[in-house]
Amino acid sequence: VIKGVIGLIVASLAVAYQNALPQVERQGEGTISSGALPGPQIALIKDAHKGAATGVGYTTGGDQFVTIGDDGTLKLWESRGRTLVRTFDLGSSDATALAVGATRAVTAHKSGRIALWDLALGVRRAEFKRNDAEINAVAFAGSPDRILAAGHDWKLTLFDARTPILPVNVFEGHESAVQAVAFSATRGLIASGSADRTVRTWNAETFAPARVYRGHQDFVTALAFDGDGRNLASGDLAGTVRIWSMTTRRAQRS
C-alpha cells in the first residue's frame, strides 16, 4: 500500500512538472509560448490582448516586438519599456501565422488572406490572396516586399507587394499541406515542410527545385536555417528535430 501511495505521488508530481513546462509552437518567424518560463522574468505584459495572444516576433534589430491575438489585432511594442506603440486592426480574428522583419510584419489567415503591415507608418501596405486555402506559415523572402506563404492546398506561394494581384511564383511538388517555410538569403534557398513528411528546397532566384529531404515519420511543422544557411533544422509533430546539411545534402543528426 505504501509503495502504491508513493507511486501515485511521484506520478502526480511528474504530471504537474510536465504541465508547468513552456509549450512553444513555431509560426513563421514568430513563436507562441505558454507556461512557466525558466530563468528570471524580465517583464510581464498583462492583458496584452483580449483573449489569447497567438503570435510573437521581434523586429530584426530587436528594439521592438509584435504580437497578434484572438481579438483580431496586431500590436507593436517597445522592447525596452514594454510600452505599446500602436495597434493595428487585422480585420478578422482568424490569424494563423506571423512573420516580423525590420519595419514590417506579415499576418496569415484561415481564409487564405495575407496582409503586409508597415510598422513605422502604421498602415497596411498590401494584401494578397490566391484562393481560400488556409495559410499555415509565412516568411519574408529577402525583401520587405516579398512574402512566402505555406498553404493548406499543398502549394508554397511567393508574393510581391509591388505586384499584389498575381503571385510571383507557385511552388508545386508537395503531396499534402505545406506546414512550414524558411528562407536563407546567404544560401539563396527557400525551404518548405509538409504534411507529406518531406522537406523541399528551392532556388530563390530561378525557383527551380533543389532537393527533397526524407526521413521524418510525421508532418513537418517547423523549419529554420542557421545564420549562414549551411544547415537547416526541421521539426515534426512526433517531436523529432532533424538537422540537414545544405552542403553534403544529408542529415547531420536527429
Short mmCIF file of all heavy atoms in Angstrom, two decimals, residues 84-142:
data_model
loop_
_atom_site.label_atom_id
_atom_site.label_comp_id
_atom_site.label_asym_id
_atom_site.label_seq_id
_atom_site.Cartn_x
_atom_site.Cartn_y
_atom_site.Cartn_z
N LEU A 84 3.23 50.08 -25.35
CA LEU A 84 2.51 49.90 -26.60
C LEU A 84 2.74 51.10 -27.51
O LEU A 84 2.52 52.24 -27.12
CB LEU A 84 1.02 49.73 -26.32
CG LEU A 84 0.12 49.53 -27.53
CD1 LEU A 84 0.47 48.24 -28.27
CD2 LEU A 84 -1.36 49.51 -27.10
N VAL A 85 3.18 50.85 -28.73
CA VAL A 85 3.42 51.91 -29.71
C VAL A 85 2.16 52.18 -30.52
O VAL A 85 1.71 53.31 -30.64
CB VAL A 85 4.59 51.54 -30.66
CG1 VAL A 85 4.80 52.63 -31.71
CG2 VAL A 85 5.86 51.30 -29.87
N ARG A 86 1.57 51.12 -31.08
CA ARG A 86 0.34 51.27 -31.85
C ARG A 86 -0.36 49.93 -32.00
O ARG A 86 0.25 48.87 -31.83
CB ARG A 86 0.59 51.90 -33.21
CG ARG A 86 1.51 51.14 -34.14
CD ARG A 86 1.56 51.81 -35.53
NE ARG A 86 1.86 53.21 -35.45
CZ ARG A 86 3.06 53.73 -35.59
NH1 ARG A 86 4.09 52.92 -35.80
NH2 ARG A 86 3.26 55.03 -35.53
N THR A 87 -1.63 50.01 -32.35
CA THR A 87 -2.45 48.82 -32.55
C THR A 87 -3.01 48.82 -33.97
O THR A 87 -3.47 49.85 -34.46
CB THR A 87 -3.61 48.79 -31.55
OG1 THR A 87 -3.09 48.75 -30.21
CG2 THR A 87 -4.49 47.55 -31.77
N PHE A 88 -2.95 47.68 -34.63
CA PHE A 88 -3.49 47.51 -35.98
C PHE A 88 -4.73 46.61 -35.90
O PHE A 88 -4.71 45.59 -35.21
CB PHE A 88 -2.46 46.83 -36.90
CG PHE A 88 -1.18 47.59 -37.07
CD1 PHE A 88 -0.19 47.57 -36.09
CD2 PHE A 88 -0.93 48.32 -38.24
CE1 PHE A 88 1.01 48.24 -36.26
CE2 PHE A 88 0.27 48.99 -38.42
CZ PHE A 88 1.23 48.96 -37.43
N ASP A 89 -5.74 46.96 -36.65
CA ASP A 89 -6.93 46.13 -36.76
C ASP A 89 -6.71 45.15 -37.90
O ASP A 89 -6.59 45.54 -39.06
CB ASP A 89 -8.16 47.00 -37.03
CG ASP A 89 -9.45 46.19 -37.12
OD1 ASP A 89 -9.39 44.95 -36.97
OD2 ASP A 89 -10.52 46.80 -37.33
N LEU A 90 -6.67 43.84 -37.59
CA LEU A 90 -6.40 42.83 -38.61
C LEU A 90 -7.60 42.59 -39.52
O LEU A 90 -7.46 41.97 -40.58
CB LEU A 90 -5.99 41.51 -37.95
CG LEU A 90 -4.68 41.51 -37.16
CD1 LEU A 90 -4.42 40.14 -36.57
CD2 LEU A 90 -3.51 41.95 -38.04
N GLY A 91 -8.76 43.02 -39.11
CA GLY A 91 -9.94 42.83 -39.93
C GLY A 91 -10.65 41.52 -39.70
O GLY A 91 -11.76 41.32 -40.19
N SER A 92 -10.03 40.62 -38.96
CA SER A 92 -10.64 39.34 -38.61
C SER A 92 -9.86 38.73 -37.45
O SER A 92 -8.74 39.16 -37.15
CB SER A 92 -10.65 38.38 -39.80
OG SER A 92 -9.32 38.05 -40.18
N SER A 93 -10.44 37.75 -36.80
CA SER A 93 -9.80 37.12 -35.65
C SER A 93 -9.28 35.73 -35.97
O SER A 93 -9.13 34.89 -35.09
CB SER A 93 -10.80 37.03 -34.49
OG SER A 93 -11.94 36.29 -34.87
N ASP A 94 -8.98 35.48 -37.26
CA ASP A 94 -8.57 34.14 -37.68
C ASP A 94 -7.10 34.06 -38.08
O ASP A 94 -6.72 33.24 -38.91
CB ASP A 94 -9.44 33.69 -38.85
CG ASP A 94 -9.24 34.54 -40.11
OD1 ASP A 94 -8.66 35.65 -39.98
OD2 ASP A 94 -9.64 34.12 -41.21
N ALA A 95 -6.26 34.91 -37.49
CA ALA A 95 -4.84 34.90 -37.84
C ALA A 95 -4.21 33.56 -37.46
O ALA A 95 -4.42 33.03 -36.37
CB ALA A 95 -4.12 36.04 -37.13
N THR A 96 -3.42 33.01 -38.37
CA THR A 96 -2.79 31.71 -38.17
C THR A 96 -1.28 31.78 -38.06
O THR A 96 -0.65 30.85 -37.54
CB THR A 96 -3.14 30.77 -39.33
OG1 THR A 96 -2.73 31.40 -40.57
CG2 THR A 96 -4.63 30.48 -39.39
N ALA A 97 -0.66 32.84 -38.57
CA ALA A 97 0.80 32.90 -38.58
C ALA A 97 1.27 34.35 -38.62
O ALA A 97 0.54 35.25 -39.07
CB ALA A 97 1.36 32.13 -39.77
N LEU A 98 2.50 34.56 -38.17
CA LEU A 98 3.09 35.89 -38.10
C LEU A 98 4.56 35.81 -38.51
O LEU A 98 5.27 34.89 -38.11
CB LEU A 98 2.99 36.44 -36.67
CG LEU A 98 3.77 37.71 -36.34
CD1 LEU A 98 3.16 38.92 -37.04
CD2 LEU A 98 3.81 37.95 -34.83
N ALA A 99 5.00 36.78 -39.31
CA ALA A 99 6.42 36.94 -39.62
C ALA A 99 6.76 38.41 -39.40
O ALA A 99 5.98 39.29 -39.76
CB ALA A 99 6.72 36.53 -41.06
N VAL A 100 7.92 38.67 -38.81
CA VAL A 100 8.32 40.04 -38.49
C VAL A 100 9.69 40.32 -39.09
O VAL A 100 10.62 39.51 -38.94
CB VAL A 100 8.36 40.27 -36.96
CG1 VAL A 100 8.70 41.72 -36.65
CG2 VAL A 100 7.03 39.89 -36.33
N GLY A 101 9.81 41.46 -39.78
CA GLY A 101 11.08 41.88 -40.34
C GLY A 101 11.63 43.09 -39.61
O GLY A 101 11.44 43.25 -38.41
N ALA A 102 12.30 43.97 -40.33
CA ALA A 102 12.89 45.16 -39.71
C ALA A 102 11.82 46.20 -39.40
O ALA A 102 11.74 46.69 -38.27
CB ALA A 102 13.95 45.74 -40.64
N THR A 103 11.01 46.54 -40.38
CA THR A 103 9.99 47.58 -40.19
C THR A 103 8.61 47.11 -40.65
O THR A 103 7.69 47.91 -40.71
CB THR A 103 10.35 48.86 -40.95
OG1 THR A 103 10.46 48.56 -42.36
CG2 THR A 103 11.67 49.43 -40.46
N ARG A 104 8.50 45.83 -40.99
CA ARG A 104 7.22 45.32 -41.47
C ARG A 104 6.88 43.98 -40.82
O ARG A 104 7.76 43.28 -40.33
CB ARG A 104 7.24 45.17 -43.00
CG ARG A 104 7.39 46.50 -43.71
CD ARG A 104 7.28 46.35 -45.21
NE ARG A 104 7.49 47.63 -45.88
CZ ARG A 104 7.42 47.82 -47.19
NH1 ARG A 104 7.16 46.80 -47.98
NH2 ARG A 104 7.63 49.02 -47.71
N ALA A 105 5.61 43.65 -40.86
CA ALA A 105 5.14 42.36 -40.35
C ALA A 105 4.13 41.80 -41.33
O ALA A 105 3.48 42.53 -42.08
CB ALA A 105 4.51 42.53 -38.97
N VAL A 106 4.01 40.49 -41.34
CA VAL A 106 3.05 39.80 -42.20
C VAL A 106 2.16 38.92 -41.32
O VAL A 106 2.66 38.22 -40.43
CB VAL A 106 3.76 38.91 -43.23
CG1 VAL A 106 2.74 38.17 -44.09
CG2 VAL A 106 4.68 39.72 -44.10
N THR A 107 0.87 38.98 -41.59
CA THR A 107 -0.06 38.07 -40.93
C THR A 107 -0.73 37.19 -41.97
O THR A 107 -1.02 37.64 -43.08
CB THR A 107 -1.13 38.82 -40.12
OG1 THR A 107 -1.82 39.73 -40.98
CG2 THR A 107 -0.49 39.57 -38.96
N ALA A 108 -0.97 35.93 -41.60
CA ALA A 108 -1.68 34.99 -42.47
C ALA A 108 -2.95 34.57 -41.78
O ALA A 108 -3.05 34.59 -40.54
CB ALA A 108 -0.80 33.78 -42.76
N HIS A 109 -3.94 34.17 -42.58
CA HIS A 109 -5.27 33.91 -42.03
C HIS A 109 -5.89 32.63 -42.58
O HIS A 109 -5.50 32.15 -43.65
CB HIS A 109 -6.18 35.11 -42.32
CG HIS A 109 -5.66 36.39 -41.74
ND1 HIS A 109 -6.08 36.91 -40.54
CD2 HIS A 109 -4.70 37.26 -42.19
CE1 HIS A 109 -5.44 38.03 -40.27
NE2 HIS A 109 -4.59 38.26 -41.25
N LYS A 110 -6.86 32.09 -41.83
CA LYS A 110 -7.53 30.86 -42.23
C LYS A 110 -8.25 31.00 -43.56
O LYS A 110 -8.43 30.03 -44.28
CB LYS A 110 -8.52 30.44 -41.15
CG LYS A 110 -7.88 29.95 -39.86
CD LYS A 110 -8.94 29.51 -38.86
CE LYS A 110 -8.28 29.03 -37.57
NZ LYS A 110 -9.31 28.62 -36.57
N SER A 111 -8.67 32.20 -43.88
CA SER A 111 -9.41 32.45 -45.12
C SER A 111 -8.53 32.47 -46.36
O SER A 111 -9.02 32.63 -47.47
CB SER A 111 -10.14 33.79 -45.01
OG SER A 111 -9.20 34.86 -44.87
N GLY A 112 -7.20 32.33 -46.18
CA GLY A 112 -6.27 32.41 -47.30
C GLY A 112 -5.72 33.81 -47.52
O GLY A 112 -4.87 34.03 -48.39
N ARG A 113 -6.18 34.76 -46.71
CA ARG A 113 -5.74 36.15 -46.83
C ARG A 113 -4.37 36.33 -46.16
O ARG A 113 -4.09 35.75 -45.12
CB ARG A 113 -6.76 37.08 -46.18
CG ARG A 113 -6.45 38.56 -46.29
CD ARG A 113 -7.65 39.38 -45.78
NE ARG A 113 -7.90 39.16 -44.37
CZ ARG A 113 -7.38 39.93 -43.39
NH1 ARG A 113 -6.60 40.94 -43.69
NH2 ARG A 113 -7.66 39.67 -42.13
N ILE A 114 -3.54 37.17 -46.77
CA ILE A 114 -2.23 37.53 -46.23
C ILE A 114 -2.12 39.05 -46.26
O ILE A 114 -2.43 39.67 -47.28
CB ILE A 114 -1.09 36.91 -47.06
CG1 ILE A 114 -1.23 35.39 -47.09
CG2 ILE A 114 0.28 37.31 -46.50
CD1 ILE A 114 -0.58 34.76 -48.28
N ALA A 115 -1.69 39.65 -45.16
CA ALA A 115 -1.59 41.11 -45.09
C ALA A 115 -0.19 41.52 -44.70
O ALA A 115 0.45 40.91 -43.83
CB ALA A 115 -2.60 41.66 -44.08
N LEU A 116 0.31 42.56 -45.37
CA LEU A 116 1.63 43.13 -45.09
C LEU A 116 1.45 44.47 -44.39
O LEU A 116 0.79 45.37 -44.92
CB LEU A 116 2.40 43.31 -46.39
CG LEU A 116 3.78 43.98 -46.31
CD1 LEU A 116 4.75 43.14 -45.47
CD2 LEU A 116 4.36 44.22 -47.71
N TRP A 117 2.04 44.61 -43.19
CA TRP A 117 1.85 45.78 -42.36
C TRP A 117 3.13 46.59 -42.24
O TRP A 117 4.21 46.03 -42.03
CB TRP A 117 1.38 45.37 -40.96
CG TRP A 117 0.17 44.48 -40.99
CD1 TRP A 117 0.17 43.11 -41.02
CD2 TRP A 117 -1.19 44.89 -41.02
NE1 TRP A 117 -1.12 42.65 -41.07
CE2 TRP A 117 -1.98 43.71 -41.07
CE3 TRP A 117 -1.83 46.13 -41.01
CZ2 TRP A 117 -3.38 43.74 -41.10
CZ3 TRP A 117 -3.21 46.16 -41.04
CH2 TRP A 117 -3.97 44.98 -41.09
N ASP A 118 3.02 47.91 -42.39
CA ASP A 118 4.15 48.83 -42.21
C ASP A 118 4.16 49.27 -40.75
O ASP A 118 3.30 50.06 -40.33
CB ASP A 118 4.02 50.04 -43.14
CG ASP A 118 5.29 50.87 -43.19
OD1 ASP A 118 5.82 51.20 -42.11
OD2 ASP A 118 5.74 51.21 -44.29
N LEU A 119 5.11 48.77 -39.98
CA LEU A 119 5.14 49.06 -38.55
C LEU A 119 5.50 50.50 -38.25
O LEU A 119 5.05 51.08 -37.26
CB LEU A 119 6.15 48.13 -37.86
CG LEU A 119 5.88 46.62 -38.01
CD1 LEU A 119 6.99 45.82 -37.36
CD2 LEU A 119 4.53 46.26 -37.41
N ALA A 120 6.32 51.12 -39.12
CA ALA A 120 6.75 52.50 -38.89
C ALA A 120 5.64 53.50 -39.19
O ALA A 120 5.43 54.46 -38.45
CB ALA A 120 7.98 52.81 -39.75
N LEU A 121 4.91 53.26 -40.28
CA LEU A 121 3.86 54.20 -40.68
C LEU A 121 2.50 53.85 -40.11
O LEU A 121 1.57 54.67 -40.14
CB LEU A 121 3.77 54.25 -42.21
CG LEU A 121 5.02 54.73 -42.94
CD1 LEU A 121 4.79 54.71 -44.45
CD2 LEU A 121 5.41 56.15 -42.49
N GLY A 122 2.36 52.64 -39.62
CA GLY A 122 1.09 52.24 -39.02
C GLY A 122 -0.01 51.97 -40.02
O GLY A 122 -1.19 52.21 -39.74
N VAL A 123 0.35 51.46 -41.20
CA VAL A 123 -0.65 51.21 -42.25
C VAL A 123 -0.47 49.81 -42.81
O VAL A 123 0.59 49.18 -42.66
CB VAL A 123 -0.53 52.24 -43.40
CG1 VAL A 123 -0.80 53.64 -42.88
CG2 VAL A 123 0.84 52.16 -44.07
N ARG A 124 -1.51 49.33 -43.49
CA ARG A 124 -1.41 48.08 -44.23
C ARG A 124 -0.86 48.38 -45.61
O ARG A 124 -1.45 49.14 -46.38
CB ARG A 124 -2.79 47.41 -44.33
CG ARG A 124 -2.73 46.02 -44.97
CD ARG A 124 -4.11 45.38 -45.01
NE ARG A 124 -5.02 46.15 -45.86
CZ ARG A 124 -6.33 45.99 -45.88
NH1 ARG A 124 -6.91 45.14 -45.07
NH2 ARG A 124 -7.09 46.72 -46.70
N ARG A 125 0.27 47.78 -45.94
CA ARG A 125 0.94 48.05 -47.21
C ARG A 125 0.29 47.33 -48.38
O ARG A 125 0.15 47.87 -49.48
CB ARG A 125 2.40 47.61 -47.12
CG ARG A 125 3.32 48.62 -46.48
CD ARG A 125 3.69 49.69 -47.48
NE ARG A 125 4.67 50.61 -46.94
CZ ARG A 125 5.18 51.62 -47.62
NH1 ARG A 125 4.81 51.81 -48.88
NH2 ARG A 125 6.06 52.42 -47.08
N ALA A 126 -0.07 46.06 -48.15
CA ALA A 126 -0.61 45.26 -49.24
C ALA A 126 -1.39 44.10 -48.67
O ALA A 126 -1.26 43.75 -47.48
CB ALA A 126 0.51 44.75 -50.14
N GLU A 127 -2.22 43.51 -49.53
CA GLU A 127 -2.97 42.31 -49.16
C GLU A 127 -2.94 41.34 -50.34
O GLU A 127 -3.06 41.76 -51.49
CB GLU A 127 -4.40 42.67 -48.78
CG GLU A 127 -5.19 41.50 -48.20
CD GLU A 127 -6.46 41.94 -47.50
OE1 GLU A 127 -6.36 42.69 -46.51
OE2 GLU A 127 -7.55 41.55 -47.95
N PHE A 128 -2.76 40.06 -50.03
CA PHE A 128 -2.67 39.04 -51.06
C PHE A 128 -3.66 37.93 -50.76
O PHE A 128 -3.97 37.64 -49.61
CB PHE A 128 -1.26 38.42 -51.10
CG PHE A 128 -0.14 39.39 -50.90
CD1 PHE A 128 0.43 39.59 -49.66
CD2 PHE A 128 0.37 40.13 -51.97
CE1 PHE A 128 1.47 40.47 -49.47
CE2 PHE A 128 1.41 41.02 -51.80
CZ PHE A 128 1.95 41.20 -50.54
N LYS A 129 -4.12 37.28 -51.83
CA LYS A 129 -4.95 36.09 -51.67
C LYS A 129 -5.00 35.36 -53.00
O LYS A 129 -5.44 35.91 -54.00
CB LYS A 129 -6.36 36.45 -51.20
CG LYS A 129 -7.22 35.23 -50.89
CD LYS A 129 -8.56 35.62 -50.27
CE LYS A 129 -9.36 34.38 -49.93
NZ LYS A 129 -10.67 34.71 -49.30
N ARG A 130 -4.56 34.10 -52.98
CA ARG A 130 -4.59 33.30 -54.21
C ARG A 130 -5.84 32.44 -54.28
O ARG A 130 -6.42 32.25 -55.34
CB ARG A 130 -3.34 32.43 -54.30
CG ARG A 130 -3.14 31.77 -55.66
CD ARG A 130 -1.78 31.13 -55.77
NE ARG A 130 -1.59 30.06 -54.81
CZ ARG A 130 -2.04 28.81 -54.99
NH1 ARG A 130 -2.70 28.49 -56.10
NH2 ARG A 130 -1.82 27.90 -54.09
N ASN A 131 -6.26 31.91 -53.12
CA ASN A 131 -7.50 31.14 -53.04
C ASN A 131 -7.95 31.13 -51.58
O ASN A 131 -7.43 31.88 -50.76
CB ASN A 131 -7.34 29.72 -53.59
CG ASN A 131 -6.21 28.96 -52.91
OD1 ASN A 131 -5.92 29.17 -51.74
ND2 ASN A 131 -5.57 28.06 -53.65
N ASP A 132 -8.91 30.28 -51.24
CA ASP A 132 -9.46 30.25 -49.88
C ASP A 132 -8.75 29.27 -48.96
O ASP A 132 -9.17 29.09 -47.81
CB ASP A 132 -10.95 29.89 -49.93
CG ASP A 132 -11.79 30.97 -50.60
OD1 ASP A 132 -11.38 32.15 -50.55
OD2 ASP A 132 -12.84 30.63 -51.19
N ALA A 133 -7.68 28.65 -49.42
CA ALA A 133 -6.97 27.68 -48.60
C ALA A 133 -6.27 28.36 -47.43
O ALA A 133 -5.65 29.42 -47.58
CB ALA A 133 -5.94 26.92 -49.44
N GLU A 134 -6.36 27.76 -46.27
CA GLU A 134 -5.74 28.31 -45.06
C GLU A 134 -4.22 28.42 -45.24
O GLU A 134 -3.58 27.53 -45.82
CB GLU A 134 -6.05 27.41 -43.87
CG GLU A 134 -5.46 27.88 -42.55
CD GLU A 134 -5.89 27.02 -41.38
OE1 GLU A 134 -6.88 26.26 -41.52
OE2 GLU A 134 -5.23 27.08 -40.32
N ILE A 135 -3.66 29.52 -44.74
CA ILE A 135 -2.21 29.72 -44.76
C ILE A 135 -1.64 29.27 -43.42
O ILE A 135 -2.05 29.75 -42.37
CB ILE A 135 -1.85 31.19 -45.04
CG1 ILE A 135 -2.51 31.67 -46.33
CG2 ILE A 135 -0.34 31.36 -45.11
CD1 ILE A 135 -2.11 30.90 -47.57
N ASN A 136 -0.69 28.35 -43.46
CA ASN A 136 -0.14 27.78 -42.23
C ASN A 136 1.12 28.48 -41.72
O ASN A 136 1.42 28.41 -40.54
CB ASN A 136 0.19 26.29 -42.47
CG ASN A 136 -1.05 25.48 -42.79
OD1 ASN A 136 -2.08 25.62 -42.15
ND2 ASN A 136 -0.96 24.64 -43.81
N ALA A 137 1.87 29.13 -42.62
CA ALA A 137 3.11 29.79 -42.20
C ALA A 137 3.50 30.83 -43.24
O ALA A 137 3.17 30.68 -44.42
CB ALA A 137 4.25 28.77 -42.04
N VAL A 138 4.19 31.88 -42.80
CA VAL A 138 4.67 32.92 -43.70
C VAL A 138 6.11 33.28 -43.34
O VAL A 138 6.56 33.07 -42.21
CB VAL A 138 3.79 34.19 -43.64
CG1 VAL A 138 2.47 33.97 -44.36
CG2 VAL A 138 3.55 34.63 -42.20
N ALA A 139 6.83 33.84 -44.32
CA ALA A 139 8.20 34.28 -44.09
C ALA A 139 8.56 35.34 -45.12
O ALA A 139 8.05 35.32 -46.25
CB ALA A 139 9.18 33.11 -44.19
N PHE A 140 9.41 36.29 -44.72
CA PHE A 140 9.95 37.25 -45.69
C PHE A 140 10.98 36.53 -46.56
O PHE A 140 11.72 35.67 -46.09
CB PHE A 140 10.60 38.43 -44.96
CG PHE A 140 9.61 39.40 -44.40
CD1 PHE A 140 9.23 39.34 -43.07
CD2 PHE A 140 9.05 40.38 -45.21
CE1 PHE A 140 8.30 40.24 -42.55
CE2 PHE A 140 8.12 41.28 -44.70
CZ PHE A 140 7.74 41.21 -43.37
N ALA A 141 11.03 36.91 -47.84
CA ALA A 141 11.91 36.24 -48.80
C ALA A 141 12.99 37.19 -49.29
O ALA A 141 13.08 37.48 -50.49
CB ALA A 141 11.10 35.69 -49.96
N GLY A 142 13.82 37.71 -48.37
CA GLY A 142 14.96 38.53 -48.75
C GLY A 142 14.64 39.96 -49.07
O GLY A 142 15.53 40.72 -49.46
#
